[in-house]
């Protein structure tokens, strides 16, 4: 792997940028691997990277039916935060934030992590009480979060309308300063480049069509559009399509897949300094480095794999945005799109073993998986490599739906549920 | 926005309806006879297919009645809607 540095850049600049090589190979699949990761999104690529980097598993492959980072990794609103209510959630999301903080250096690839602060607005007494509870719970877990008055919120986010006569006046907000955004494509590319350099085969345009099991029930390989591949371990990281992949092994999942939409405005000069979200009026917004306002809408109410949602969902979100930021009502929208998110009954992910020996799953991240990408990959790599969960993902079992030990973040999620 | 055909009222816009998740999941007749695995299966586990899905809808801002639908989750096209209590229609053609 060619090390990227200022010197590399200057060398290439002097060379009219003719020397840049492809950053990962495009190998054909081998007949067998020690492990296969199904799904080449951020979580899958991070999993493969950490399996190779921390657990020495170099003879592994990532199978992606389209192109890497082309699913939810390339469709989300790139928000990073860890201000979750419960201890288990705070542990895994803050594990991710700690990895985000050093990720560009670790990967030698600029993922453009920008800790510009995530401000969550309270519009009613219930919000105020709930968010203050979050602030205190987060602090007990060592996760930064602080309460702002409306005036302090306005000072932190000047475009915000804190007038008391709007439909849902701002009563305050909870601010996580370590929260922010990162460049989603760069996350996929950085992990792909790092994993490839460690020997991982990243195989694109290779759809898994079947999971092969031996007479003892354990997995022995996969069927793909590029032929059969043998492997004793499979890690499924397929987001919205997890139920479809798991059904190939005869495993039913506590998941429903819904469309989730996002949209961007035309690019404008820097006008928005942070990430702002509001549960009550259902809006979240930030500004990309290109200048587009990035806006997240909610999920549609019905199960779908169509990667498009209803226009009334985005309209509802834009109503809220224009109420909080009247000046944005003149902006034109550049495009909107949908992704398919896999949602669990308790809105927490499932990361761990399955009833099928050799088959592991990392799914159920719902509407908020991007923020967890490094942490998710890190603990899932441990799980697949060692055959048992890392302490951080130990509570996030599939079996919790039987035991009843749910991690009920439904009321704690930002928006979209 | 989907156009949903209520079996009682006809085609109406989706915002008149509430979604009710997977259809034909009957509450167990004798819940205490179930073990935890079976109870979790009833409560939480869903088929969630990419393809034809039998699901419940409630015409909340219309007649208020529940009914079932067959819909292709890959295209969002409705294939049939039918009153609650009726069996899932056989659409033939290998669907």
């Amino acid at each position: 792997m060619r090390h990227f540095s200022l010197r590399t850049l200057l060398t290439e600049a002097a060379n009219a940028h003719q020397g840049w090589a492809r950053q990962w190979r495009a190998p054909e699949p081998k007949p067998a691997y020690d492990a296969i990761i199904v799904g080449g999104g951020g979580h899958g690529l991070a999993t493969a990277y950490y399996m190779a980097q921390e657990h020495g598993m170099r003879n592994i492959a990532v199978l992606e039916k389209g192109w890497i980072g082309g699913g939810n990794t390339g469709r989300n609103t790139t928000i990073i935060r860890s201000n979750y209510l419960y201890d288990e959630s705070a542990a895994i999301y803050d594990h991710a934030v700690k990895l985000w903080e050093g990720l560009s250096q670790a990967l030698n690839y600029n993922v453009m992590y920008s800790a510009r602060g995530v401000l969550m607005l309270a519009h009613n007494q219930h919000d105020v009480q709930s968010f203050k509870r979050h602030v205190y719970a987060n602090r007990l877990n060592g996760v930064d979060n602080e309460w702002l008055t409306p005036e302090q919120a306005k000072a932190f986010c000047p475009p915000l309308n804190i007038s008391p006569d709007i439909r849902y006046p701002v009563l305050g907000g909870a601010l996580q300063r370590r929260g922010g955004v990162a460049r989603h494509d760069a996350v996929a590319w950085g992990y792909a480049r790092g994993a490839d350099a460690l020997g991982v085969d990243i195989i694109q345009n290779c759809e898994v069509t079947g999971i092969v099991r031996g007479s003892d029930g354990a997995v022995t390989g996969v069927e793909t559009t590029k032929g059969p591949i043998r492997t004793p371990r499979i890690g499924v990281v397929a987001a919205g399509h997890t139920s479809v992949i798991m059904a190939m092994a005869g495993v039913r999942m506590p998941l429903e897949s819904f469309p989730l939409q996002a949209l961007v405005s035309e690019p404008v000069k820097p006008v928005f300094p942070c990430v702002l979200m509001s549960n009550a009026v259902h809006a979240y917004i930030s500004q990309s480095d290109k200048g587009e306002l990035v806006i997240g809408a909610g999920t549609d109410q019905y199960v779908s794999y169509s990667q498009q949602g209803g226009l009334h969902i985005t309209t509802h979100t834009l109503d809220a945005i224009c109420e909080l930021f009247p000046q944005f009502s003149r902006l034109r929208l550049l495009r909107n799109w949908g992704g398919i998110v896999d949602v669990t009954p308790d809105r927490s992910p499932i990361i761990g073993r399955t009833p099928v020996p050799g088959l592991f799953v990392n799914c159920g991240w719902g509407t908020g998986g991007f923020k967890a990408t490094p942490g998710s990959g890190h603990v899932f790599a441990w799980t697949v490599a060692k055959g048992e969960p890392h302490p951080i993902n130990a509570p996030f079992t599939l079996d919790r739906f039987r035991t009843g030990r749910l991690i009920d973040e439904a009321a704690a999620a930002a928006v979209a549920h | 926005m989907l156009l949903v055909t209520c079996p009682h009222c006809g085609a109406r816009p989706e915002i008149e309806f509430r979604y009710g998740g997977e259809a034909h999941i009957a509450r167990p007749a004798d819940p205490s006879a179930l073990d935890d695995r079976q109870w979790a299966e009833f409560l939480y586990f869903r088929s969630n297919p990419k393809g034809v899905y039998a699901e419940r809808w409630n015409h909340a801002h219309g007649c208020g009645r529940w009914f079932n639908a067959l819909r292709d989750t890959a295209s969002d096209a409705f294939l049939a809607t039918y009153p609650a209590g009726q069996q899932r229609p056989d659409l033939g053609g290998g669907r």
Side-chain angles (χ1 to χ4, degrees), chain B residues 54-80:
Chain B
E55 60 191 11
R56 305 191 307 155
W57 288 84
N58 175 229
H59 196 180
H61 300 291
C63 63
R65 290 203 258 183
W66 285 94
F67 61 93
N68 295 332
L70 289 183
R71 189 173 51 88
D72 185 338
T73 62
S75 66
D76 290 340
F78 281 94
L79 308 172

PDB file of all heavy atoms in Angstrom, chain B residues 54-80:
ATOM      1  N   ALA B  54     -47.544 -10.519   2.904  1.00  0.00           N
ATOM      2  CA  ALA B  54     -48.907 -10.330   3.415  1.00  0.00           C
ATOM      3  C   ALA B  54     -48.815  -9.441   4.652  1.00  0.00           C
ATOM      4  O   ALA B  54     -48.100  -9.767   5.600  1.00  0.00           O
ATOM      5  CB  ALA B  54     -49.525 -11.683   3.766  1.00  0.00           C
ATOM      6  N   GLU B  55     -49.542  -8.329   4.617  1.00  0.00           N
ATOM      7  CA  GLU B  55     -49.383  -7.344   5.683  1.00  0.00           C
ATOM      8  C   GLU B  55     -50.738  -6.750   6.054  1.00  0.00           C
ATOM      9  O   GLU B  55     -51.703  -6.839   5.301  1.00  0.00           O
ATOM     10  CB  GLU B  55     -48.431  -6.238   5.219  1.00  0.00           C
ATOM     11  CG  GLU B  55     -48.944  -5.523   3.981  1.00  0.00           C
ATOM     12  CD  GLU B  55     -47.907  -4.616   3.344  1.00  0.00           C
ATOM     13  OE1 GLU B  55     -46.734  -4.671   3.711  1.00  0.00           O
ATOM     14  OE2 GLU B  55     -48.301  -3.835   2.462  1.00  0.00           O
ATOM     15  N   ARG B  56     -50.783  -6.150   7.224  1.00  0.00           N
ATOM     16  CA  ARG B  56     -52.024  -5.569   7.731  1.00  0.00           C
ATOM     17  C   ARG B  56     -52.010  -4.051   7.540  1.00  0.00           C
ATOM     18  O   ARG B  56     -50.980  -3.403   7.690  1.00  0.00           O
ATOM     19  CB  ARG B  56     -52.181  -5.879   9.223  1.00  0.00           C
ATOM     20  CG  ARG B  56     -52.108  -7.354   9.550  1.00  0.00           C
ATOM     21  CD  ARG B  56     -52.529  -7.619  10.967  1.00  0.00           C
ATOM     22  NE  ARG B  56     -51.779  -6.793  11.904  1.00  0.00           N
ATOM     23  CZ  ARG B  56     -52.220  -6.445  13.106  1.00  0.00           C
ATOM     24  NH1 ARG B  56     -53.394  -6.855  13.516  1.00  0.00           N
ATOM     25  NH2 ARG B  56     -51.484  -5.698  13.911  1.00  0.00           N
ATOM     26  N   TRP B  57     -53.163  -3.522   7.210  1.00  0.00           N
ATOM     27  CA  TRP B  57     -53.328  -2.078   7.138  1.00  0.00           C
ATOM     28  C   TRP B  57     -54.610  -1.713   7.880  1.00  0.00           C
ATOM     29  O   TRP B  57     -55.554  -2.510   7.944  1.00  0.00           O
ATOM     30  CB  TRP B  57     -53.448  -1.603   5.681  1.00  0.00           C
ATOM     31  CG  TRP B  57     -52.171  -1.661   4.899  1.00  0.00           C
ATOM     32  CD1 TRP B  57     -51.660  -2.752   4.255  1.00  0.00           C
ATOM     33  CD2 TRP B  57     -51.240  -0.589   4.677  1.00  0.00           C
ATOM     34  NE1 TRP B  57     -50.466  -2.432   3.639  1.00  0.00           N
ATOM     35  CE2 TRP B  57     -50.195  -1.106   3.888  1.00  0.00           C
ATOM     36  CE3 TRP B  57     -51.194   0.753   5.066  1.00  0.00           C
ATOM     37  CZ2 TRP B  57     -49.110  -0.319   3.472  1.00  0.00           C
ATOM     38  CZ3 TRP B  57     -50.123   1.518   4.649  1.00  0.00           C
ATOM     39  CH2 TRP B  57     -49.086   0.984   3.866  1.00  0.00           C
ATOM     40  N   ASN B  58     -54.636  -0.514   8.429  1.00  0.00           N
ATOM     41  CA  ASN B  58     -55.817  -0.006   9.115  1.00  0.00           C
ATOM     42  C   ASN B  58     -56.238   1.294   8.444  1.00  0.00           C
ATOM     43  O   ASN B  58     -55.438   2.232   8.329  1.00  0.00           O
ATOM     44  CB  ASN B  58     -55.482   0.221  10.599  1.00  0.00           C
ATOM     45  CG  ASN B  58     -56.636   0.859  11.352  1.00  0.00           C
ATOM     46  OD1 ASN B  58     -56.455   1.831  12.064  1.00  0.00           O
ATOM     47  ND2 ASN B  58     -57.821   0.296  11.207  1.00  0.00           N
ATOM     48  N   HIS B  59     -57.483   1.356   8.000  1.00  0.00           N
ATOM     49  CA  HIS B  59     -57.962   2.580   7.348  1.00  0.00           C
ATOM     50  C   HIS B  59     -58.365   3.574   8.438  1.00  0.00           C
ATOM     51  O   HIS B  59     -59.549   3.874   8.635  1.00  0.00           O
ATOM     52  CB  HIS B  59     -59.131   2.252   6.410  1.00  0.00           C
ATOM     53  CG  HIS B  59     -59.422   3.365   5.446  1.00  0.00           C
ATOM     54  ND1 HIS B  59     -60.421   3.290   4.517  1.00  0.00           N
ATOM     55  CD2 HIS B  59     -58.825   4.577   5.255  1.00  0.00           C
ATOM     56  CE1 HIS B  59     -60.454   4.418   3.809  1.00  0.00           C
ATOM     57  NE2 HIS B  59     -59.488   5.211   4.237  1.00  0.00           N
ATOM     58  N   ALA B  60     -57.353   4.096   9.125  1.00  0.00           N
ATOM     59  CA  ALA B  60     -57.568   4.878  10.344  1.00  0.00           C
ATOM     60  C   ALA B  60     -58.406   6.135  10.099  1.00  0.00           C
ATOM     61  O   ALA B  60     -59.264   6.475  10.899  1.00  0.00           O
ATOM     62  CB  ALA B  60     -56.218   5.260  10.950  1.00  0.00           C
ATOM     63  N   HIS B  61     -58.127   6.821   8.986  1.00  0.00           N
ATOM     64  CA  HIS B  61     -58.864   8.051   8.696  1.00  0.00           C
ATOM     65  C   HIS B  61     -59.952   7.809   7.650  1.00  0.00           C
ATOM     66  O   HIS B  61     -60.220   8.644   6.792  1.00  0.00           O
ATOM     67  CB  HIS B  61     -57.894   9.142   8.226  1.00  0.00           C
ATOM     68  CG  HIS B  61     -56.857   9.461   9.252  1.00  0.00           C
ATOM     69  ND1 HIS B  61     -57.145  10.095  10.438  1.00  0.00           N
ATOM     70  CD2 HIS B  61     -55.529   9.187   9.292  1.00  0.00           C
ATOM     71  CE1 HIS B  61     -56.029  10.219  11.147  1.00  0.00           C
ATOM     72  NE2 HIS B  61     -55.049   9.670  10.485  1.00  0.00           N
ATOM     73  N   GLY B  62     -60.536   6.619   7.689  1.00  0.00           N
ATOM     74  CA  GLY B  62     -61.629   6.277   6.791  1.00  0.00           C
ATOM     75  C   GLY B  62     -62.628   5.451   7.578  1.00  0.00           C
ATOM     76  O   GLY B  62     -63.156   5.912   8.588  1.00  0.00           O
ATOM     77  N   CYS B  63     -62.782   4.211   7.170  1.00  0.00           N
ATOM     78  CA  CYS B  63     -63.777   3.364   7.834  1.00  0.00           C
ATOM     79  C   CYS B  63     -63.280   2.838   9.176  1.00  0.00           C
ATOM     80  O   CYS B  63     -64.056   2.301   9.959  1.00  0.00           O
ATOM     81  CB  CYS B  63     -64.162   2.198   6.927  1.00  0.00           C
ATOM     82  SG  CYS B  63     -62.792   1.093   6.560  1.00  0.00           S
ATOM     83  N   GLY B  64     -61.964   2.982   9.425  1.00  0.00           N
ATOM     84  CA  GLY B  64     -61.431   2.536  10.701  1.00  0.00           C
ATOM     85  C   GLY B  64     -61.181   1.043  10.789  1.00  0.00           C
ATOM     86  O   GLY B  64     -60.743   0.547  11.830  1.00  0.00           O
ATOM     87  N   ARG B  65     -61.430   0.326   9.690  1.00  0.00           N
ATOM     88  CA  ARG B  65     -61.307  -1.131   9.769  1.00  0.00           C
ATOM     89  C   ARG B  65     -59.923  -1.629   9.358  1.00  0.00           C
ATOM     90  O   ARG B  65     -59.232  -1.027   8.540  1.00  0.00           O
ATOM     91  CB  ARG B  65     -62.364  -1.780   8.859  1.00  0.00           C
ATOM     92  CG  ARG B  65     -63.754  -1.587   9.419  1.00  0.00           C
ATOM     93  CD  ARG B  65     -64.678  -2.637   8.876  1.00  0.00           C
ATOM     94  NE  ARG B  65     -65.515  -2.097   7.814  1.00  0.00           N
ATOM     95  CZ  ARG B  65     -66.459  -2.808   7.212  1.00  0.00           C
ATOM     96  NH1 ARG B  65     -66.685  -4.063   7.557  1.00  0.00           N
ATOM     97  NH2 ARG B  65     -67.169  -2.265   6.253  1.00  0.00           N
ATOM     98  N   TRP B  66     -59.556  -2.769   9.942  1.00  0.00           N
ATOM     99  CA  TRP B  66     -58.327  -3.455   9.563  1.00  0.00           C
ATOM    100  C   TRP B  66     -58.602  -4.341   8.351  1.00  0.00           C
ATOM    101  O   TRP B  66     -59.679  -4.906   8.223  1.00  0.00           O
ATOM    102  CB  TRP B  66     -57.820  -4.334  10.706  1.00  0.00           C
ATOM    103  CG  TRP B  66     -57.198  -3.554  11.816  1.00  0.00           C
ATOM    104  CD1 TRP B  66     -57.808  -3.115  12.950  1.00  0.00           C
ATOM    105  CD2 TRP B  66     -55.844  -3.122  11.893  1.00  0.00           C
ATOM    106  NE1 TRP B  66     -56.921  -2.424  13.736  1.00  0.00           N
ATOM    107  CE2 TRP B  66     -55.707  -2.419  13.117  1.00  0.00           C
ATOM    108  CE3 TRP B  66     -54.728  -3.252  11.064  1.00  0.00           C
ATOM    109  CZ2 TRP B  66     -54.502  -1.856  13.517  1.00  0.00           C
ATOM    110  CZ3 TRP B  66     -53.531  -2.694  11.459  1.00  0.00           C
ATOM    111  CH2 TRP B  66     -53.428  -1.999  12.682  1.00  0.00           C
ATOM    112  N   PHE B  67     -57.603  -4.458   7.486  1.00  0.00           N
ATOM    113  CA  PHE B  67     -57.684  -5.414   6.384  1.00  0.00           C
ATOM    114  C   PHE B  67     -56.265  -5.858   6.049  1.00  0.00           C
ATOM    115  O   PHE B  67     -55.294  -5.350   6.613  1.00  0.00           O
ATOM    116  CB  PHE B  67     -58.383  -4.791   5.167  1.00  0.00           C
ATOM    117  CG  PHE B  67     -57.670  -3.584   4.613  1.00  0.00           C
ATOM    118  CD1 PHE B  67     -56.747  -3.705   3.580  1.00  0.00           C
ATOM    119  CD2 PHE B  67     -57.916  -2.318   5.127  1.00  0.00           C
ATOM    120  CE1 PHE B  67     -56.085  -2.591   3.078  1.00  0.00           C
ATOM    121  CE2 PHE B  67     -57.260  -1.207   4.630  1.00  0.00           C
ATOM    122  CZ  PHE B  67     -56.351  -1.345   3.612  1.00  0.00           C
ATOM    123  N   ASN B  68     -56.172  -6.823   5.151  1.00  0.00           N
ATOM    124  CA  ASN B  68     -54.861  -7.340   4.767  1.00  0.00           C
ATOM    125  C   ASN B  68     -54.562  -7.008   3.317  1.00  0.00           C
ATOM    126  O   ASN B  68     -55.469  -6.759   2.527  1.00  0.00           O
ATOM    127  CB  ASN B  68     -54.800  -8.851   4.953  1.00  0.00           C
ATOM    128  CG  ASN B  68     -54.935  -9.245   6.413  1.00  0.00           C
ATOM    129  OD1 ASN B  68     -54.575  -8.470   7.300  1.00  0.00           O
ATOM    130  ND2 ASN B  68     -55.467 -10.424   6.665  1.00  0.00           N
ATOM    131  N   ALA B  69     -53.279  -7.012   3.000  1.00  0.00           N
ATOM    132  CA  ALA B  69     -52.859  -6.738   1.623  1.00  0.00           C
ATOM    133  C   ALA B  69     -51.723  -7.676   1.252  1.00  0.00           C
ATOM    134  O   ALA B  69     -50.952  -8.107   2.108  1.00  0.00           O
ATOM    135  CB  ALA B  69     -52.401  -5.289   1.492  1.00  0.00           C
ATOM    136  N   LEU B  70     -51.639  -7.987  -0.022  1.00  0.00           N
ATOM    137  CA  LEU B  70     -50.442  -8.618  -0.577  1.00  0.00           C
ATOM    138  C   LEU B  70     -49.733  -7.552  -1.394  1.00  0.00           C
ATOM    139  O   LEU B  70     -50.330  -6.930  -2.267  1.00  0.00           O
ATOM    140  CB  LEU B  70     -50.801  -9.796  -1.481  1.00  0.00           C
ATOM    141  CG  LEU B  70     -51.348 -11.056  -0.821  1.00  0.00           C
ATOM    142  CD1 LEU B  70     -51.558 -12.133  -1.886  1.00  0.00           C
ATOM    143  CD2 LEU B  70     -50.413 -11.568   0.260  1.00  0.00           C
ATOM    144  N   ARG B  71     -48.461  -7.337  -1.066  1.00  0.00           N
ATOM    145  CA  ARG B  71     -47.703  -6.286  -1.742  1.00  0.00           C
ATOM    146  C   ARG B  71     -46.320  -6.812  -2.056  1.00  0.00           C
ATOM    147  O   ARG B  71     -45.752  -7.592  -1.298  1.00  0.00           O
ATOM    148  CB  ARG B  71     -47.614  -5.039  -0.840  1.00  0.00           C
ATOM    149  CG  ARG B  71     -47.047  -3.796  -1.503  1.00  0.00           C
ATOM    150  CD  ARG B  71     -47.153  -2.578  -0.584  1.00  0.00           C
ATOM    151  NE  ARG B  71     -46.592  -2.875   0.722  1.00  0.00           N
ATOM    152  CZ  ARG B  71     -45.300  -2.711   1.037  1.00  0.00           C
ATOM    153  NH1 ARG B  71     -44.467  -2.235   0.165  1.00  0.00           N
ATOM    154  NH2 ARG B  71     -44.863  -3.027   2.239  1.00  0.00           N
ATOM    155  N   ASP B  72     -45.780  -6.402  -3.194  1.00  0.00           N
ATOM    156  CA  ASP B  72     -44.418  -6.778  -3.561  1.00  0.00           C
ATOM    157  C   ASP B  72     -43.471  -5.754  -2.929  1.00  0.00           C
ATOM    158  O   ASP B  72     -43.478  -4.586  -3.321  1.00  0.00           O
ATOM    159  CB  ASP B  72     -44.274  -6.781  -5.087  1.00  0.00           C
ATOM    160  CG  ASP B  72     -42.902  -7.275  -5.532  1.00  0.00           C
ATOM    161  OD1 ASP B  72     -41.950  -7.221  -4.718  1.00  0.00           O
ATOM    162  OD2 ASP B  72     -42.775  -7.717  -6.684  1.00  0.00           O
ATOM    163  N   THR B  73     -42.668  -6.186  -1.971  1.00  0.00           N
ATOM    164  CA  THR B  73     -41.826  -5.227  -1.256  1.00  0.00           C
ATOM    165  C   THR B  73     -40.644  -4.742  -2.098  1.00  0.00           C
ATOM    166  O   THR B  73     -39.955  -3.800  -1.711  1.00  0.00           O
ATOM    167  CB  THR B  73     -41.281  -5.818   0.062  1.00  0.00           C
ATOM    168  OG1 THR B  73     -40.473  -6.953  -0.247  1.00  0.00           O
ATOM    169  CG2 THR B  73     -42.404  -6.215   0.999  1.00  0.00           C
ATOM    170  N   ALA B  74     -40.388  -5.398  -3.247  1.00  0.00           N
ATOM    171  CA  ALA B  74     -39.311  -4.905  -4.115  1.00  0.00           C
ATOM    172  C   ALA B  74     -39.787  -3.736  -4.959  1.00  0.00           C
ATOM    173  O   ALA B  74     -39.011  -2.834  -5.281  1.00  0.00           O
ATOM    174  CB  ALA B  74     -38.785  -6.023  -5.006  1.00  0.00           C
ATOM    175  N   SER B  75     -41.073  -3.732  -5.328  1.00  0.00           N
ATOM    176  CA  SER B  75     -41.599  -2.682  -6.207  1.00  0.00           C
ATOM    177  C   SER B  75     -42.635  -1.803  -5.517  1.00  0.00           C
ATOM    178  O   SER B  75     -43.032  -0.776  -6.058  1.00  0.00           O
ATOM    179  CB  SER B  75     -42.243  -3.309  -7.433  1.00  0.00           C
ATOM    180  OG  SER B  75     -43.392  -4.052  -7.044  1.00  0.00           O
ATOM    181  N   ASP B  76     -43.093  -2.194  -4.342  1.00  0.00           N
ATOM    182  CA  ASP B  76     -44.162  -1.531  -3.589  1.00  0.00           C
ATOM    183  C   ASP B  76     -45.536  -1.660  -4.264  1.00  0.00           C
ATOM    184  O   ASP B  76     -46.486  -1.001  -3.846  1.00  0.00           O
ATOM    185  CB  ASP B  76     -43.855  -0.048  -3.328  1.00  0.00           C
ATOM    186  CG  ASP B  76     -42.721   0.137  -2.330  1.00  0.00           C
ATOM    187  OD1 ASP B  76     -42.447  -0.808  -1.580  1.00  0.00           O
ATOM    188  OD2 ASP B  76     -42.117   1.222  -2.310  1.00  0.00           O
ATOM    189  N   ALA B  77     -45.666  -2.485  -5.299  1.00  0.00           N
ATOM    190  CA  ALA B  77     -46.952  -2.636  -5.985  1.00  0.00           C
ATOM    191  C   ALA B  77     -47.881  -3.540  -5.170  1.00  0.00           C
ATOM    192  O   ALA B  77     -47.487  -4.635  -4.757  1.00  0.00           O
ATOM    193  CB  ALA B  77     -46.740  -3.215  -7.373  1.00  0.00           C
ATOM    194  N   PHE B  78     -49.120  -3.076  -4.981  1.00  0.00           N
ATOM    195  CA  PHE B  78     -50.111  -3.919  -4.322  1.00  0.00           C
ATOM    196  C   PHE B  78     -50.627  -4.965  -5.309  1.00  0.00           C
ATOM    197  O   PHE B  78     -50.940  -4.645  -6.459  1.00  0.00           O
ATOM    198  CB  PHE B  78     -51.289  -3.072  -3.819  1.00  0.00           C
ATOM    199  CG  PHE B  78     -50.986  -2.345  -2.544  1.00  0.00           C
ATOM    200  CD1 PHE B  78     -50.524  -1.041  -2.565  1.00  0.00           C
ATOM    201  CD2 PHE B  78     -51.152  -2.984  -1.317  1.00  0.00           C
ATOM    202  CE1 PHE B  78     -50.234  -0.376  -1.385  1.00  0.00           C
ATOM    203  CE2 PHE B  78     -50.870  -2.318  -0.134  1.00  0.00           C
ATOM    204  CZ  PHE B  78     -50.404  -1.016  -0.170  1.00  0.00           C
ATOM    205  N   LEU B  79     -50.728  -6.209  -4.855  1.00  0.00           N
ATOM    206  CA  LEU B  79     -51.232  -7.278  -5.707  1.00  0.00           C
ATOM    207  C   LEU B  79     -52.670  -7.617  -5.359  1.00  0.00           C
ATOM    208  O   LEU B  79     -53.427  -8.075  -6.198  1.00  0.00           O
ATOM    209  CB  LEU B  79     -50.342  -8.525  -5.556  1.00  0.00           C
ATOM    210  CG  LEU B  79     -48.844  -8.244  -5.768  1.00  0.00           C
ATOM    211  CD1 LEU B  79     -48.006  -9.460  -5.420  1.00  0.00           C
ATOM    212  CD2 LEU B  79     -48.595  -7.820  -7.212  1.00  0.00           C
ATOM    213  N   ALA B  80     -53.045  -7.401  -4.094  1.00  0.00           N
ATOM    214  CA  ALA B  80     -54.417  -7.675  -3.666  1.00  0.00           C
ATOM    215  C   ALA B  80     -54.631  -7.056  -2.296  1.00  0.00           C
ATOM    216  O   ALA B  80     -53.683  -6.903  -1.516  1.00  0.00           O
ATOM    217  CB  ALA B  80     -54.664  -9.181  -3.589  1.00  0.00           C
TER     218      ALA B  80
END
